[in-house]
C-alpha cells in the first residue's frame, strides 16, 4: 500500500517480476483488499502466485515513526513483517514510510547485531556496476565494532544481491593511509585486517571511490553515510537541473537536446534505478524500496528480494559475526595519532 | 611556481586579474626568477604592478607535508606566507601542495582559533550562487566549539568573498529537527542559537542542501566535509562520464551532442570553476587555488584574494570569537538522546 504510487505500481511490478522469477516464488500481498483485488484482477497471469492478505490499516508516508509504531499493529506493514517472523514469508518488501518500517521491523524481528537500529544500505551506480554503501542513516554514533558489523553484513548482502563470489570491502576515510582518520575507523581497519574474517578487505577508501567502484562495499557510520548519500543525490539534482537549463537556453542547443534525448534518457535511467535497500542486522529479511520507485524499479527490487531469500545470506553473516568478539579482543589498541 | 601548470597559468592569470582590479592592488611573485622573468616579459601591461622575488627552492606537488616542511625555508611557498607575516603582503595565494601550504602557514602565521590546523573551505555551486562549505579536510575530530568556530569564520569569509551582508549559516546533520544527530552537532546548534552571535544562524541542514543553496554557509567536521566533498566530486565525474557515453553511443545522439556542445560547455564551466579556498583560523590570509586551475579560475581566485584583503574579515571573526567562551559556558548540557 506504501510509496508514492501504492498498488498501481506495486501490483504491475509483481506481475512483471513473476515473468522472470522461478515458478516457486510466490507473493503475499498485504493491504486493503477493496483496493488490491480490482488491481490484481487486471493481471490474470499473476493470480495463482499472489495471495491477498487484507489489512484494516495503512501507515501513512508522513507519520512519525514513534506515532506510527503505536498504531501499527494490524497495518499492512506490520502484517508483512510479521509474516517473516512467522516463517510465512522469506522477505518483507515495502515502499512505505522508512522510519516506521525500521521501527516495526526492529520490534517484530529484533536485532541480531549490536546496533541501535537496522543499518540501511544504498546502492550507488558506478562504471563497473554497483557500490553497496552502508550505513546511510540509521546509526549516528558508530564505534569500531559497529563498523566491522556493517562490513560483515554489507559483504554478504552484496554477494547475495549481485552474485559476486568475493566482494571487495573498504572503509570510508579522508585518505588511504593507515594513520589517517579518527580512532573508530583506524580501529575498525585493524580489526578487519587482523581478525581472520572470510572477506576481501582492502583498507580505506575515499569519498570519490563510492562512484568509482574502487571496492564493492563501502562502510561508514550512519551520520557520514546519510550526509554523503544526500549530498550525492543533491549534486545529481543540481547537475541535471543545470544541464537542462544549459541544453534549452537557446534554439540551437534546444535542437541538440531534442536529438540527444534518447541518450539523456538512458543516462537518467541508470542514475535513478534504485535497487531495494535491505534493513540489515535484523533476524529476518526486510527490503525497503524507494517511495518514488517506478514499476520497473519495484520489479527489480522484488528480484533482489528473491535472490536474498534463496541465498545463504544469514548463514554467511553469522559465520563472520562469530569471529567478531575474538577479533576485537586480539586487536592492539589504536595509536593516539589522529593526523590527516 | 605551484599547481599543475605553474607560471604558464599563474602569470597570465595575474595579467588578466590586474585589468579588473583597482590600481592599488599589486603582486609579489615568489619563485625561480629565471623562469618567471621571461614569462612576465610577455605581459608588459602588468610589469609595473608585479615584483618578482627570487626563491632558491620550490616545494614539489607530491612531497609529503612533513618532509616538505623540513626543507621549506626559503622556498617560494615559504616566502609567500612569510611576506604575509611581515606585513609585505595582505594575502598569500598558492596553487601548490595543499598539505605543505597548510603546514607552512600554521608554522609561520600560527593559529588564531583553537584548531589542530587551518580549516579548508570549498565553494559549491548552487542554482542561487555558491555555498561556502567547511571544514573539508583539515580537522578530523571536531567538538562543538570547533564547529562554532567554523561557523564564525565561514560567515565572515562568505561575506567578504561574495559581498552578501548577512550570510545564512547551517550545520550539516542527518535531519532538520533539533534532537537529531550526535552530541557535537546538537551542542553546536544550541551554542549558535543561544550565544548572541552576530549571525543569521538557521539551524540544521541536510546533505542535499549543500547544492540547493538552502543556506550560504554549511558547517561540518573535517571528516564529514572531506568525504562529502569528494563524494560529490566523484558523483560529478561519474555523471559526466555516463553522459558522454550516452551522448556518443549512436549516430543520432552523437549528432545531438555536437549541436548541444555549447550548452554542455557552459554546464561544465559552471561546475568546474573553483574559487580560491581560504585556510581559515590563521593569523593572516592564505588562499589555496586548485592545482588544475585554469588561467580564468586563477584570475578569479586573485580577485577573491583582493576582496578578502580589503574587507573587515579578520575583525568580524574576532568580534564573534570574543562571544565564544561566554556562549559555551551559558549553553545548557546536551540531552542524552541521540535519536535519528
Amino acid at each position: 500500500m506504501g510509496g508514492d504510487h501504492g498498488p498501481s505500481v506495486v501490483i504491475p511490478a509483481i506481475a512483471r517480476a513473476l515473468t522472470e522469477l522461478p515458478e516457486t516464488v510466490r507473493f503475499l500481498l498485504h493491504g486493503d483488499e477493496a483496493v488490491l483485488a480490482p488491481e490484481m484482477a487486471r493481471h490474470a497471469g499473476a493470480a495463482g502466485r499472489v495471495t491477498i492478505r487484507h489489512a484494516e490499516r495503512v501507515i501513512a508516508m508522513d507519520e512519525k515513526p514513534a506515532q506510527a509504531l503505536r498504531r501499527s499493529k494490524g497495518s499492512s506493514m506490520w502484517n508483512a513483517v510479521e509474516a517473516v517472523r512467522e516463517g510465512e514469508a522469506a522477505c518483507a518488501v515495502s515502499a512505505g514510510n522508512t522510519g516506521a518500517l525500521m521501527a516495526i521491523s526492529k520490534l517484530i524481528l529484533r536485532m541480531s547485531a549490536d546496533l541501535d537500529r537496522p543499518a540501511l544500505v544504498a546502492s550507488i551506480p558506478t562504471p563497473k556496476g554497483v557500490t553497496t554503501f552502508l550505513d546511510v542513516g540509521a546509526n549516528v554514533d558508530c564505534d569500531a565494532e559497529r563498523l566491522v558489523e556493517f562490513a560483515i553484513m554489507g559483504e554478504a548482502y552484496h554477494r547475495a544481491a549481485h552474485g559476486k563470489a568475493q566482494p571487495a570491502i573498504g572503509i570510508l576515510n579522508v585518505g588511504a593511509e593507515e594513520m589517517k582518520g579518527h580512532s573508530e575507523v583506524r580501529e575498525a581497519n585493524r580489526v578487519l585486517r587482523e581478525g581472520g574474517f572470510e572477506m576481501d578487505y582492502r583498507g580505506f577508501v575515499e569519498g570519490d571511490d563510492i562512484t568509482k567502484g574502487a571496492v564493492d562495499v563501502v562502510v561508514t557510520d550512519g551520520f557520514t553515510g546519510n550526509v554523503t548519500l544526500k549530498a550525492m543525490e543533491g549534486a545529481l539534482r543540481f547537475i541535471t537541473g543545470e544541464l537542462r537549463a544549459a541544453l534549452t537556453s537557446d534554439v540551437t542547443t534546444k535542437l541538440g537536446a531534442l536529438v540527444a534525448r534518447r541518450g539523456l534518457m538512458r543516462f537518467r535511467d541508470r542514475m535513478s534505478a534504485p535497487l531495494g535497500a535491505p534493513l540489515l542486522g535484523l533476524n529476518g529479511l526486510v527490503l525497503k524500496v524507494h517511495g518514488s520507485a517506478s514499476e520497473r524499479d519495484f520489479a527489480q527490487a522484488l528480484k533482489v528480494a528473491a535472490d536474498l531469500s534463496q541465498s545463504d545470506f544469514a548463514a554467511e553473516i553469522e559465520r563472520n559475526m562469530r569471529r567478531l568478539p575474538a577479533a576485537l579482543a586480539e586487536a592492539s589498541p589504536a595509536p593516539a595519532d589522529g593526523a590527516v
Side-chain angles (χ1 to χ4, degrees), chain A residues 114 142-150 184 187-188 324-325 328:
Chain A
D114 184 24
C142 290
D143 57 13
E145 182 176 352
R146 288 187 169 83
L147 294 174
V148 174
E149 287 182 341
F150 295 158
E184 290 82 2
E187 172 72 1
L324 187 53
L328 285 165

Side-chain angles (χ1 to χ4, degrees), chain A residues 258-269:
Chain A
L258 278 173
V259 183
R261 191 184 166 75
R262 211 177 347 152
L264 284 169
M265 296 282 281
R266 260 203 305 277
F267 158 69
R268 204 174 49 194
D269 279 357

Side-chain angles (χ1 to χ4, degrees), chain A residues 11 14-15 18 40 43-51:
Chain A
I11 291 176
I14 291 176
L18 279 172
M40 268 310 299
H43 300 275
R49 296 164 71 186
V50 179
T51 309

Side-chain angles (χ1 to χ4, degrees), chain A residues 18-35:
Chain A
L18 279 172
T19 63
E20 299 176 39
L21 287 168
E23 284 291 325
T24 51
V25 177
R26 291 178 309 115
F27 290 92
L28 300 177
L29 193 57
H30 300 269
D32 184 349
E33 187 158 20
V35 176

Side-chain angles (χ1 to χ4, degrees), chain A residues 233-250 253 257 264 267:
Chain A
E233 289 171 348
L236 170 63
R237 260 200 303 277
F238 170 69
I239 290 161
T240 48
E242 285 288 299
L243 193 61
R244 197 175 304 118
L247 287 180
T248 55
S249 57
D250 62 38
T253 55
L264 284 169
F267 158 69

Side-chain angles (χ1 to χ4, degrees), chain A residues 198-216:
Chain A
E198 297 176 23
M199 191 188 295
D200 182 12
Y201 177 65
R202 302 283 179 89
F204 292 137
V205 296
E206 298 190 60
D208 52 346
D209 289 320
I210 301 169
T211 45
K212 259 186 208 161
V215 293
D216 299 301

